[in-house]
Amino acid sequence: MICLLYRAAGPSGGKDEGVRAVTVKPGVANSLSLAEDQPEPAPEEGAVLVEALAVGICGTDHEIIAGDYGEAPPGADRLVIGHESLGRVLEDPSGTLQPGDLVAGIVRHPDPVPCTNCAVGEWDMCRNGQYTEHGIKALPGFARDRWRIEPEFAVQLDPVLAQVGVLLEPTSVVAKAWDHIERIGHRAEWRPQTVLVTGAGPIGLLAALLGTQRGLTVHVLDRATDGPKPELVAGLGATYHAVPVNDLPFEPDVVIECTGAPTVVLDVMCKAAPTGIVCLAGVSSGGRSIDFDAGALNRALVLENNVVFGSVNANRRHWTMAAQALARADQVWLSSLITRRVPVNRYADAYTAGPDDIKVVLEFAS
Ligand code: BGC
């Protein structure tokens, strides 16, 4: 089926068909539209030409569509969105990739200065904010029929991931979170047992998957009492909780907070076990203030040697870890994270959130 898809594109890569692209005008609410007959991606965008198979949709896309986030490339007034990609290589003159290879594009590119971290390929830790991101900040995204990328920003996926490889980008984000948790953990003897993940959306569920792959006891907490979340958590061999954090009968060694909800963020900081590590991976919208005792929190963190840190994005090393984690995961479980697959001509449906959505995917080739 997939090989047929590739052949259908033909030696011209389907280049005579016109490129469709999902775009927005950054800063303008509800400017989402599907542009037809767009030009082919410019050669300057990269040597590797890719036929899009799918893009995943996340909260960042919704923020961009609401006009709250996002930046068009220099000189343009519209941004092609889509940063969670899956495609098939049509051509790579550099010979790094072969036609037909399954790939995803790395989202972030280093700042041009570059800062000390970007200079060594750790663009996920950019220090000056001048990084760019496909589909988010000053670089065109992947929600178009064909896109280009430089080989060093293309990540090859195992062919087994043809149906679910679009989950690679969110998995790279949690692979980084786990990588940094482990680096911090090794400041002392590191034998974690219990993990709490708050939020059972795609990021939370993928964070839980990587926890179970490490042989840890994983608990996932979310507000939902029905819908697909409890079963998805059970499918990992993890335990689902729909209670307040304070009612949990254990103190986790590791917390990965994926809701960004202010009270949950504070509660997990207080709930972590002595020497526990709390990774904040949920982006809050801000603007809501709550009363809390900062002194008591400081006292608890200091006296128990706890660490709280933020984590966003991922560098190439994390994308590779993520590709390996997905390839060894249960493919049926991964497929069940994708609760809706919408063809690109019905793009507006894809970007309208549904009550039981986990991951919604916009499909290009069919
Ligand atoms: C993406 C990250 C990106 C972040 C901030 C997230 O949705 O997954 O790659 O760095 O948004 O733009």
Side-chain angles (χ1 to χ4, degrees), residues 1 8 15 24 58-59 63-64 87 94 98 137 154 174 201 211 215 218 232 238 282 287 316 319 331 341 344 356:
M1 167 70 177
K15 285 184 222 168
V24 297
C58 82
E63 277 187 57
I64 294 171
S94 78
Q98 300 306 313
K137 184 174 185 278
V174 297
V218 178
L232 282 165
R316 189 167 179 111
W319 282 76
Q331 300 301 305
R341 294 178 185 268
V344 67
D356 283 338

Side-chain angles (χ1 to χ4, degrees), residues 52-250:
L53 295 177
V55 294
I57 297 171
C58 82
T60 300
D61 296 300
H62 289 290
E63 277 187 57
I64 294 171
I65 292 165
D68 296 335
Y69 198 56
E71 184 184 323
D77 68 342
R78 295 193 76 90
L79 169 72
V80 179
I81 60 171
H83 59 279
E84 300 183 3
S85 61
L86 180 68
R88 269 195 194 278
V89 172
L90 291 171
E91 57 189 40
D92 178 8
S94 78
T96 313
L97 292 155
Q98 300 306 313
D101 282 350
L102 205 56
V103 286
I106 290 180
V107 174
R108 189 176 287 194
H109 288 237
D111 76 73
V113 177
C115 75
T116 45
N117 286 331
C118 285
V120 295
E122 306 246 343
W123 50 73
D124 56 312
M125 301 293 282
C126 180
R127 289 168 56 88
N128 64 23
Q130 293 180 45
Y131 60 82
T132 51
E133 290 182 334
H134 283 287
I136 301 176
K137 184 174 185 278
L139 282 181
F142 304 116
R144 47 183 167 155
D145 286 310
R146 285 178 289 288
W147 41 269
R148 282 185 175 274
I149 199 152
E150 291 300 352
E152 58 271 32
F153 290 94
V155 181
Q156 193 176 350
L157 289 98
D158 188 306
V160 78
L161 295 170
Q163 298 304 316
V164 296
V166 72
L167 297 172
L168 185 59
E169 195 277 342
T171 309
S172 74
V173 168
V174 297
K176 175 199 173 166
W178 272 109
D179 177 43
H180 284 211
I181 288 165
E182 284 162 349
R183 284 162 184 256
I184 294 166
H186 285 295
R187 70 197 161 139
E189 188 64 17
W190 174 240
R191 293 176 196 241
Q193 292 183 337
T194 310
V195 181
L196 171 63
V197 176
T198 47
I203 291 285
L205 290 164
L206 291 166
L209 166 70
L210 269 58
T212 57
Q213 287 185 338
R214 284 163 169 76
L216 300 170
T217 303
V218 178
H219 298 262
V220 180
L221 180 144
D222 193 280
R223 281 187 306 200
T225 49
D226 53 17
K229 292 177 176 179
E231 203 179 318
L232 282 165
V233 170
L236 284 176
T239 309
Y240 188 82
H241 304 267
V243 298
V245 171
N246 291 328
D247 292 355
L248 293 172
F250 62 91

Side-chain angles (χ1 to χ4, degrees), residues 40-52:
E40 289 294 328
E44 307 81 73
E45 293 182 37
V48 187
L49 178 64
V50 179
E51 175 195 31

